[in-house]
Amino acid sequence: MNILMLSSTFPYPPTRGGTQVRTFNLLKYLSQRHSITLVTQRDATVTEAEIVALQDCVDRLVVFERPPESGTSAGIFQKIQRFISFLQQGTPPSVINRYSSEMQEWIDNFVEAGKCDVITCEHSVNEIYVRSHFQKQLRTVVNIHSSVYGSCYNQLATGISENKLRDKINLPLLRRYEQSYCSKFSEIVVTTEEDKIQLQEFNPHSEITVIPNGVDLVSFPYRIHDPGGHRLIFIGAMDNLANIDAVCFFSQEVLPEIQKIYPDTTLDIVGSHPTPEVLALKKQPGVTVTGRVPSMSEYLHKSTVCIVPMRTGFGIKNKTLEAMAAGVPIVASDRGLEGLAVDGSSTPVRALRANTPAEYVSAITQLFNSPQLRAELSINGRELIETEFTWDIAGERYEKACCGSDGNYEI
């Protein structure tokens, strides 16, 4: 089967963030059995070596230059213009900013020539390239990493919105947008049941499939021993709003309370592109901000406990899955554990749940004090990943979504 995959985010190397990880691993799986044409964009950070490496993973790679960003330094007049455009056209500025007319023309010609059986949008931002009439010619799939309406709503509800007035105005427009673009697709793919429920409310007649993220078990091997001690770790891209909020909340409201009990407690914040707000946390006792590291698993293996104190952000968190795969006990919020069965009367305990500072202190103290509990969470977490959250499992489900409900296709 000939599959045209669209990704405005360059999906290599698959360590830069959640979008790259999911896109790369799904295309890698599909390329084993199908002919993949990947159309993507590059920015100044993408190297020629990375382009060559990605070419080896697909049958055809087509790379366009990413349009220059127009949102960050715009004046009030430009912002008003963008809002009016959003109001009239129904497409958010965040989608418009990545739109390339050259890329659109290439896609239109490729589809018109009948060179693909399926077109997939890897992240909802790429929906803009799919014409409404494409559905009559081929199967159309959108792989929604997280709902834009749900994310905006959650940021307002938790009080971490960067611009509350803007987001309150945009919220009903994002709802309208999500309802509108989903109608163009034969199949909608989401990462959690929560996302499915929300999108089903907007699009009651749409086919929606839940396909969680996975983990590369080679990149995140199970650790061979428990290091003990009082070393905490948080992993993730540190220019992401939800991650910034999580580490600031934990460092300021939780860590000092734990250090009253265990003065030698440390926190490693490990991930690329730390913002000034994150770098400032190094001033606090015991906090280290590393930036990007060659091997995330090495840092995980040295840690006593991995924390995932997310207060916003939808979908299954790669950071949670990767820490479980590495065998590191986890203390996480409801958001950090979304989409995962980790506790309950009929479920083995795979992580400890916490949402308030007091709950974090209690859970982390339990783990610091009990090697047995750490071992239990370590074993159960790894088992969950091996049985439900590998990229082979996700890839097989995605292949079925791309091929249609009957599962019939030609290679």
Side-chain angles (χ1 to χ4, degrees):
M1 190 166 66
N2 297 311
I3 302 176
L4 174 61
M5 302 184 77
L6 310 180
S7 176
S8 60
T9 299
F10 193 83
Y12 193 89
T15 53
R16 282 183 172 159
T19 300
Q20 288 95 326
V21 170
R22 184 171 174 88
T23 301
F24 176 79
N25 282 284
L26 291 178
L27 76 83
K28 182 180 176 183
Y29 182 90
L30 291 176
S31 66
Q32 298 175 75
R33 296 164 58 85
H34 305 280
S35 174
I36 305 297
T37 297
L38 174 65
V39 180
T40 187
Q41 295 177 356
R42 66 177 296 181
D43 58 21
T45 66
V46 177
T47 67
E48 291 300 323
E50 289 168 348
I51 291 176
V52 171
L54 186 57
Q55 281 177 329
D56 291 338
C57 302
V58 295
D59 290 87
R60 184 176 186 182
L61 176 65
V62 183
V63 183
F64 291 88
E65 295 296 326
R66 175 173 292 182
E69 294 287 343
S70 62
T72 53
S73 59
I76 186 67
F77 180 69
Q78 288 84 2
K79 290 179 180 179
I80 292 172
Q81 282 187 316
R82 287 205 306 270
F83 174 73
I84 292 173
S85 177
F86 186 11
L87 192 63
Q88 293 175 337
Q89 299 178 17
T91 304
S94 59
V95 177
I96 295 292
N97 285 345
R98 290 199 176 187
Y99 182 72
S100 162
S101 57
E102 292 82 7
M103 185 166 158
Q104 181 73 72
E105 182 180 4
W106 192 97
I107 293 166
D108 289 345
N109 291 335
F110 194 78
V111 172
E112 183 67 26
K115 294 183 177 180
C116 57
D117 307 301
V118 181
I119 184 170
T120 77
C121 295
E122 303 305 318
H123 198 292
S124 59
V125 72
N126 298 286
E127 64 77 21
I128 194 170
Y129 294 107
V130 175
R131 310 285 193 184
S132 297
H133 68 268
F134 282 4
Q135 227 180 136
K136 298 176 183 178
Q137 301 172 240
L138 71 168
R139 187 165 180 80
T140 53
V141 179
V142 59
N143 185 1
I144 300 175
H145 291 214
S146 63
S147 159
V148 290
Y149 168 84
S151 296
C152 182
Y153 178 85
N154 185 247
Q155 287 174 9
L156 284 169
T158 54
I160 73 157
S161 172
E162 290 182 309
N163 189 325
K164 291 182 181 179
L165 178 60
R166 178 201 64 194
D167 288 348
K168 285 181 179 178
I169 293 172
N170 283 347
L171 194 61
L173 300 178
L174 290 172
R175 181 186 179 103
R176 183 186 69 177
Y177 165 69
E178 210 147 61
Q179 285 177 308
S180 174
Y181 86 72
C182 282
S183 65
K184 298 189 296 184
F185 292 92
S186 315
E187 181 94 22
I188 298 170
V189 174
V190 296
T191 61
T192 67
E193 286 292 339
E194 185 172 342
D195 275 350
K196 179 178 179 178
I197 291 168
Q198 185 192 290
L199 286 164
Q200 201 86 68
E201 178 188 342
F202 296 168
N203 307 276
H205 304 297
S206 295
E207 291 291 330
I208 304 179
T209 301
V210 178
I211 302 178
N213 285 344
V215 180
D216 180 349
L217 299 182
V218 175
S219 298
F220 291 90
Y222 187 68
R223 70 183 185 186
I224 58 176
H225 73 279
D226 176 357
H230 307 125
R231 186 170 181 174
L232 304 174
I233 189 172
F234 177 92
I235 63 174
M238 292 319 306
D239 55 354
N240 175 276
L241 179 62
N243 288 344
I244 295 168
D245 173 75
V247 294
C248 288
F249 157 70
F250 188 88
S251 299
Q252 294 162 4
E253 299 188 37
V254 181
L255 183 60
E257 298 303 312
I258 297 173
Q259 289 172 331
K260 289 178 182 178
I261 307 169
Y262 304 97
D264 64 337
T265 300
T266 61
L267 170 62
D268 290 327
I269 299 173
V270 184
S272 60
H273 306 117
T275 63
E277 190 175 4
V278 174
L279 292 171
L281 296 175
K282 292 191 292 184
K283 298 176 183 178
Q284 293 188 216
V287 177
T288 300
V289 180
T290 68
R292 188 177 178 183
V293 296
S295 172
M296 192 70 79
S297 62
E298 288 184 16
Y299 276 81
L300 284 167
H301 289 171
K302 296 174 185 176
S303 303
T304 320
V305 176
C306 178
I307 57 161
V308 193
M310 314 301 293
R311 300 195 293 182
T312 186
F314 279 78
I316 284 183
K317 307 300 181 291
N318 285 334
K319 57 179 62 65
T320 307
L321 299 179
E322 290 166 356
M324 281 186 169
V328 185
I330 291 173
V331 176
S333 64
D334 291 339
R335 280 275 164 241
L337 296 172
E338 183 182 346
L340 302 175
V342 300
D343 49 22
S345 57
S346 59
T347 303
V349 179
R350 294 158 172 155
L352 298 187
R353 193 180 298 271
N355 291 291
T356 66
E359 289 171 348
Y360 279 105
V361 172
S362 174
I364 291 169
T365 299
Q366 287 182 60
L367 287 169
F368 280 175
N369 288 339
S370 175
Q372 293 80 11
L373 182 58
R374 294 199 300 271
E376 182 181 358
L377 265 59
S378 174
I379 293 168
N380 291 344
R382 174 69 180 199
E383 182 181 36
L384 176 66
I385 300 303
E386 290 179 345
T387 55
E388 297 185 32
F389 295 99
T390 68
W391 283 117
D392 280 346
I393 295 171
E396 183 179 356
R397 293 173 181 172
Y398 196 48
E399 183 179 37
K400 290 178 180 177
C402 291
C403 296
S405 56
D406 59 4
N408 294 324
Y409 53 84
E410 293 182 2
I411 301 173

